[in-house]
Amino acid sequence: MDRLARETAEDWWEVEALYDLAFAPGREALSSYRLRDGVPPVPELCLTARDQQGILGGAIRYWPVLVSGARALLLGPVAVHPTRQGEGVGAALIRESLAEAGRLGWARVLLVGDAPYYGRFGFRRLEDVEMPPPTNPERVLGLALRPGAWDGVSGAVKPAA
């Protein structure tokens, strides 16, 4: 069983190397990265998963964003080392971080991802929320951590100052 813990400054380079391994080259050119530029992540929600030997198996980060003035969390990136995929590491990171986001008082989360995968955590397509182009609108998903948190929230996603 992996130990989940808050990402520390000492973890940063190892987590970045995992993201480089898990995602295509040029991942930082994706539109979601424009929402992260110059904005620190939400440290309480950035987690790592390590095995009993301390080897990094997965990581997740969250960033604050605004959707027409409403605060939201942008989930991602989340990555699992290729040798650990299919073991539930990613699901554990997602479940624990979403539970913590709720405990911290966050109301809504969004991401760009695959609906079949993220649907099992309660994410649904956000029809009226626009990520920076060229994001495929079919992949813009949201989760209400409080009932009705996405009701009436629409428009462009902007970085939180």
Side-chain angles (χ1 to χ4, degrees), residues 119-150:
R120 65 186 171 141
F121 304 104
F123 284 87
R124 301 288 174 258
R125 178 149 182 255
L126 293 173
E127 301 279 337
D128 299 319
V129 173
E130 303 155 21
M131 288 288 287
T135 305
N136 176 348
E138 300 289 322
R139 295 175 53 82
V140 179
L141 310 176
L143 172 69
L145 296 175
R146 285 192 223 136
W150 280 108

Short mmCIF file of all heavy atoms in Angstrom, two decimals, residues 119-150:
data_model
loop_
_atom_site.label_atom_id
_atom_site.label_comp_id
_atom_site.label_asym_id
_atom_site.label_seq_id
_atom_site.Cartn_x
_atom_site.Cartn_y
_atom_site.Cartn_z
N GLY A 119 -15.45 10.17 -14.69
CA GLY A 119 -16.85 10.02 -14.33
C GLY A 119 -17.04 9.17 -13.08
O GLY A 119 -17.96 9.40 -12.30
N ARG A 120 -16.16 8.22 -12.86
CA ARG A 120 -16.31 7.36 -11.67
C ARG A 120 -16.06 8.10 -10.37
O ARG A 120 -16.41 7.62 -9.30
CB ARG A 120 -15.41 6.13 -11.79
CG ARG A 120 -13.94 6.43 -11.79
CD ARG A 120 -13.17 5.14 -12.06
NE ARG A 120 -11.77 5.40 -12.28
CZ ARG A 120 -10.82 4.62 -11.83
NH1 ARG A 120 -11.10 3.55 -11.14
NH2 ARG A 120 -9.56 4.91 -12.08
N PHE A 121 -15.47 9.30 -10.45
CA PHE A 121 -15.27 10.14 -9.27
C PHE A 121 -16.36 11.20 -9.16
O PHE A 121 -16.32 12.04 -8.26
CB PHE A 121 -13.89 10.81 -9.32
CG PHE A 121 -12.77 9.83 -9.47
CD1 PHE A 121 -12.13 9.66 -10.70
CD2 PHE A 121 -12.35 9.03 -8.41
CE1 PHE A 121 -11.11 8.74 -10.86
CE2 PHE A 121 -11.33 8.11 -8.56
CZ PHE A 121 -10.71 7.96 -9.79
N GLY A 122 -17.30 11.19 -10.10
CA GLY A 122 -18.40 12.15 -10.07
C GLY A 122 -18.26 13.32 -11.02
O GLY A 122 -19.14 14.19 -11.06
N PHE A 123 -17.21 13.37 -11.80
CA PHE A 123 -17.02 14.47 -12.75
C PHE A 123 -17.99 14.32 -13.93
O PHE A 123 -18.22 13.22 -14.41
CB PHE A 123 -15.58 14.51 -13.28
CG PHE A 123 -14.61 15.08 -12.29
CD1 PHE A 123 -14.00 14.27 -11.35
CD2 PHE A 123 -14.30 16.43 -12.30
CE1 PHE A 123 -13.10 14.78 -10.42
CE2 PHE A 123 -13.40 16.95 -11.38
CZ PHE A 123 -12.81 16.13 -10.44
N ARG A 124 -18.52 15.46 -14.36
CA ARG A 124 -19.43 15.53 -15.51
C ARG A 124 -19.00 16.67 -16.42
O ARG A 124 -18.36 17.62 -15.97
CB ARG A 124 -20.87 15.78 -15.05
CG ARG A 124 -21.43 14.74 -14.10
CD ARG A 124 -21.71 13.42 -14.84
NE ARG A 124 -22.10 12.36 -13.93
CZ ARG A 124 -21.31 11.37 -13.52
NH1 ARG A 124 -20.08 11.28 -13.93
NH2 ARG A 124 -21.78 10.44 -12.71
N ARG A 125 -19.42 16.59 -17.66
CA ARG A 125 -19.08 17.65 -18.62
C ARG A 125 -19.66 18.98 -18.17
O ARG A 125 -20.81 19.06 -17.74
CB ARG A 125 -19.61 17.29 -20.00
CG ARG A 125 -19.32 18.39 -21.00
CD ARG A 125 -19.12 17.91 -22.40
NE ARG A 125 -18.81 19.07 -23.22
CZ ARG A 125 -19.66 19.63 -24.06
NH1 ARG A 125 -20.86 19.13 -24.24
NH2 ARG A 125 -19.30 20.69 -24.75
N LEU A 126 -18.84 20.02 -18.28
CA LEU A 126 -19.29 21.39 -17.98
C LEU A 126 -19.60 22.05 -19.31
O LEU A 126 -18.71 22.45 -20.05
CB LEU A 126 -18.20 22.17 -17.24
CG LEU A 126 -17.87 21.69 -15.82
CD1 LEU A 126 -16.66 22.45 -15.28
CD2 LEU A 126 -19.06 21.84 -14.90
N GLU A 127 -20.87 22.17 -19.62
CA GLU A 127 -21.32 22.70 -20.92
C GLU A 127 -20.91 24.14 -21.15
O GLU A 127 -20.57 24.53 -22.26
CB GLU A 127 -22.84 22.60 -21.01
CG GLU A 127 -23.39 21.20 -20.87
CD GLU A 127 -23.32 20.38 -22.13
OE1 GLU A 127 -23.26 20.97 -23.23
OE2 GLU A 127 -23.32 19.14 -22.02
N ASP A 128 -20.99 24.97 -20.12
CA ASP A 128 -20.83 26.42 -20.30
C ASP A 128 -19.55 26.98 -19.70
O ASP A 128 -19.45 28.17 -19.45
CB ASP A 128 -22.04 27.14 -19.68
CG ASP A 128 -23.34 26.72 -20.35
OD1 ASP A 128 -23.35 26.59 -21.59
OD2 ASP A 128 -24.34 26.50 -19.63
N VAL A 129 -18.58 26.13 -19.45
CA VAL A 129 -17.29 26.57 -18.92
C VAL A 129 -16.25 26.41 -20.03
O VAL A 129 -16.15 25.35 -20.63
CB VAL A 129 -16.90 25.77 -17.65
CG1 VAL A 129 -15.50 26.10 -17.21
CG2 VAL A 129 -17.90 26.03 -16.54
N GLU A 130 -15.50 27.48 -20.28
CA GLU A 130 -14.57 27.51 -21.41
C GLU A 130 -13.13 27.59 -20.94
O GLU A 130 -12.73 28.58 -20.34
CB GLU A 130 -14.87 28.73 -22.29
CG GLU A 130 -16.29 28.78 -22.79
CD GLU A 130 -16.73 30.20 -23.12
OE1 GLU A 130 -15.87 31.07 -23.34
OE2 GLU A 130 -17.94 30.44 -23.12
N MET A 131 -12.39 26.54 -21.23
CA MET A 131 -10.94 26.55 -21.00
C MET A 131 -10.28 27.30 -22.14
O MET A 131 -10.86 27.40 -23.24
CB MET A 131 -10.41 25.12 -20.94
CG MET A 131 -10.79 24.37 -19.68
SD MET A 131 -9.91 24.96 -18.21
CE MET A 131 -8.28 24.29 -18.51
N PRO A 132 -9.06 27.81 -21.93
CA PRO A 132 -8.37 28.49 -23.03
C PRO A 132 -8.22 27.56 -24.23
O PRO A 132 -8.02 26.36 -24.07
CB PRO A 132 -7.00 28.82 -22.43
CG PRO A 132 -7.20 28.81 -20.96
CD PRO A 132 -8.28 27.81 -20.69
N PRO A 133 -8.34 28.12 -25.44
CA PRO A 133 -8.17 27.29 -26.64
C PRO A 133 -6.73 26.78 -26.73
O PRO A 133 -5.84 27.41 -26.18
CB PRO A 133 -8.52 28.23 -27.79
CG PRO A 133 -8.50 29.60 -27.22
CD PRO A 133 -8.61 29.50 -25.73
N PRO A 134 -6.52 25.66 -27.37
CA PRO A 134 -7.44 24.87 -28.19
C PRO A 134 -8.06 23.69 -27.45
O PRO A 134 -8.16 22.61 -28.01
CB PRO A 134 -6.53 24.40 -29.32
CG PRO A 134 -5.22 24.15 -28.62
CD PRO A 134 -5.14 25.19 -27.52
N THR A 135 -8.50 23.85 -26.22
CA THR A 135 -9.07 22.75 -25.45
C THR A 135 -10.36 22.23 -26.09
O THR A 135 -11.23 23.01 -26.45
CB THR A 135 -9.38 23.21 -24.01
OG1 THR A 135 -8.20 23.76 -23.43
CG2 THR A 135 -9.88 22.06 -23.15
N ASN A 136 -10.46 20.91 -26.19
CA ASN A 136 -11.68 20.27 -26.68
C ASN A 136 -12.76 20.43 -25.61
O ASN A 136 -12.60 19.92 -24.49
CB ASN A 136 -11.40 18.79 -26.95
CG ASN A 136 -12.61 18.01 -27.37
OD1 ASN A 136 -13.75 18.48 -27.28
ND2 ASN A 136 -12.39 16.78 -27.82
N PRO A 137 -13.88 21.11 -25.90
CA PRO A 137 -14.91 21.33 -24.89
C PRO A 137 -15.51 20.05 -24.32
O PRO A 137 -16.01 20.05 -23.19
CB PRO A 137 -15.99 22.13 -25.64
CG PRO A 137 -15.41 22.54 -26.93
CD PRO A 137 -14.18 21.72 -27.18
N GLU A 138 -15.44 18.96 -25.07
CA GLU A 138 -15.96 17.67 -24.57
C GLU A 138 -15.16 17.16 -23.38
O GLU A 138 -15.64 16.31 -22.63
CB GLU A 138 -15.92 16.61 -25.69
CG GLU A 138 -16.75 16.95 -26.91
CD GLU A 138 -18.24 16.86 -26.64
OE1 GLU A 138 -18.65 15.95 -25.90
OE2 GLU A 138 -18.98 17.71 -27.16
N ARG A 139 -13.92 17.65 -23.23
CA ARG A 139 -13.03 17.17 -22.17
C ARG A 139 -13.02 18.07 -20.94
O ARG A 139 -12.29 17.81 -20.00
CB ARG A 139 -11.62 17.01 -22.74
CG ARG A 139 -11.56 15.92 -23.80
CD ARG A 139 -10.19 15.82 -24.46
NE ARG A 139 -9.09 15.69 -23.54
CZ ARG A 139 -8.67 14.56 -22.97
NH1 ARG A 139 -9.30 13.43 -23.23
NH2 ARG A 139 -7.64 14.55 -22.15
N VAL A 140 -13.82 19.14 -20.94
CA VAL A 140 -13.88 20.04 -19.78
C VAL A 140 -14.92 19.47 -18.81
O VAL A 140 -16.11 19.45 -19.09
CB VAL A 140 -14.24 21.48 -20.20
CG1 VAL A 140 -14.33 22.39 -18.98
CG2 VAL A 140 -13.20 22.01 -21.20
N LEU A 141 -14.43 18.98 -17.68
CA LEU A 141 -15.26 18.27 -16.71
C LEU A 141 -15.24 18.97 -15.36
O LEU A 141 -14.24 19.61 -15.01
CB LEU A 141 -14.74 16.84 -16.53
CG LEU A 141 -14.50 16.02 -17.79
CD1 LEU A 141 -13.89 14.67 -17.44
CD2 LEU A 141 -15.79 15.83 -18.58
N GLY A 142 -16.33 18.84 -14.62
CA GLY A 142 -16.40 19.46 -13.31
C GLY A 142 -17.05 18.56 -12.29
O GLY A 142 -17.80 17.64 -12.61
N LEU A 143 -16.75 18.86 -11.04
CA LEU A 143 -17.32 18.14 -9.90
C LEU A 143 -17.72 19.18 -8.86
O LEU A 143 -16.92 20.06 -8.52
CB LEU A 143 -16.27 17.19 -9.30
CG LEU A 143 -16.65 16.51 -7.98
CD1 LEU A 143 -17.76 15.49 -8.20
CD2 LEU A 143 -15.43 15.85 -7.36
N ALA A 144 -18.95 19.08 -8.37
CA ALA A 144 -19.41 19.94 -7.28
C ALA A 144 -19.10 19.24 -5.96
O ALA A 144 -19.58 18.13 -5.71
CB ALA A 144 -20.91 20.19 -7.41
N LEU A 145 -18.27 19.88 -5.13
CA LEU A 145 -17.97 19.32 -3.82
C LEU A 145 -19.08 19.66 -2.83
O LEU A 145 -19.15 19.06 -1.76
CB LEU A 145 -16.63 19.85 -3.32
CG LEU A 145 -15.42 19.44 -4.16
CD1 LEU A 145 -14.16 20.11 -3.66
CD2 LEU A 145 -15.25 17.92 -4.17
N ARG A 146 -19.89 20.64 -3.19
CA ARG A 146 -21.11 20.99 -2.44
C ARG A 146 -22.25 20.96 -3.43
O ARG A 146 -22.09 21.41 -4.57
CB ARG A 146 -20.99 22.40 -1.86
CG ARG A 146 -20.08 22.49 -0.68
CD ARG A 146 -20.26 23.84 0.01
NE ARG A 146 -18.96 24.34 0.35
CZ ARG A 146 -18.54 25.59 0.18
NH1 ARG A 146 -19.35 26.49 -0.32
NH2 ARG A 146 -17.34 25.95 0.52
N PRO A 147 -23.42 20.47 -3.02
CA PRO A 147 -24.55 20.41 -3.96
C PRO A 147 -24.81 21.77 -4.62
O PRO A 147 -24.84 22.80 -3.95
CB PRO A 147 -25.72 19.99 -3.07
CG PRO A 147 -25.10 19.28 -1.92
CD PRO A 147 -23.77 19.96 -1.69
N GLY A 148 -24.95 21.73 -5.95
CA GLY A 148 -25.27 22.93 -6.70
C GLY A 148 -24.13 23.90 -6.91
O GLY A 148 -24.35 25.00 -7.43
N ALA A 149 -22.91 23.51 -6.56
CA ALA A 149 -21.78 24.45 -6.64
C ALA A 149 -21.52 24.95 -8.06
O ALA A 149 -21.00 26.06 -8.23
CB ALA A 149 -20.52 23.82 -6.06
N TRP A 150 -21.86 24.16 -9.07
CA TRP A 150 -21.65 24.59 -10.46
C TRP A 150 -22.88 25.27 -11.05
O TRP A 150 -22.81 25.80 -12.15
CB TRP A 150 -21.21 23.42 -11.34
CG TRP A 150 -19.75 23.10 -11.21
CD1 TRP A 150 -19.21 22.01 -10.59
CD2 TRP A 150 -18.64 23.87 -11.68
NE1 TRP A 150 -17.83 22.06 -10.65
CE2 TRP A 150 -17.47 23.20 -11.32
CE3 TRP A 150 -18.53 25.07 -12.37
CZ2 TRP A 150 -16.19 23.67 -11.63
CZ3 TRP A 150 -17.27 25.56 -12.69
CH2 TRP A 150 -16.12 24.86 -12.31
#
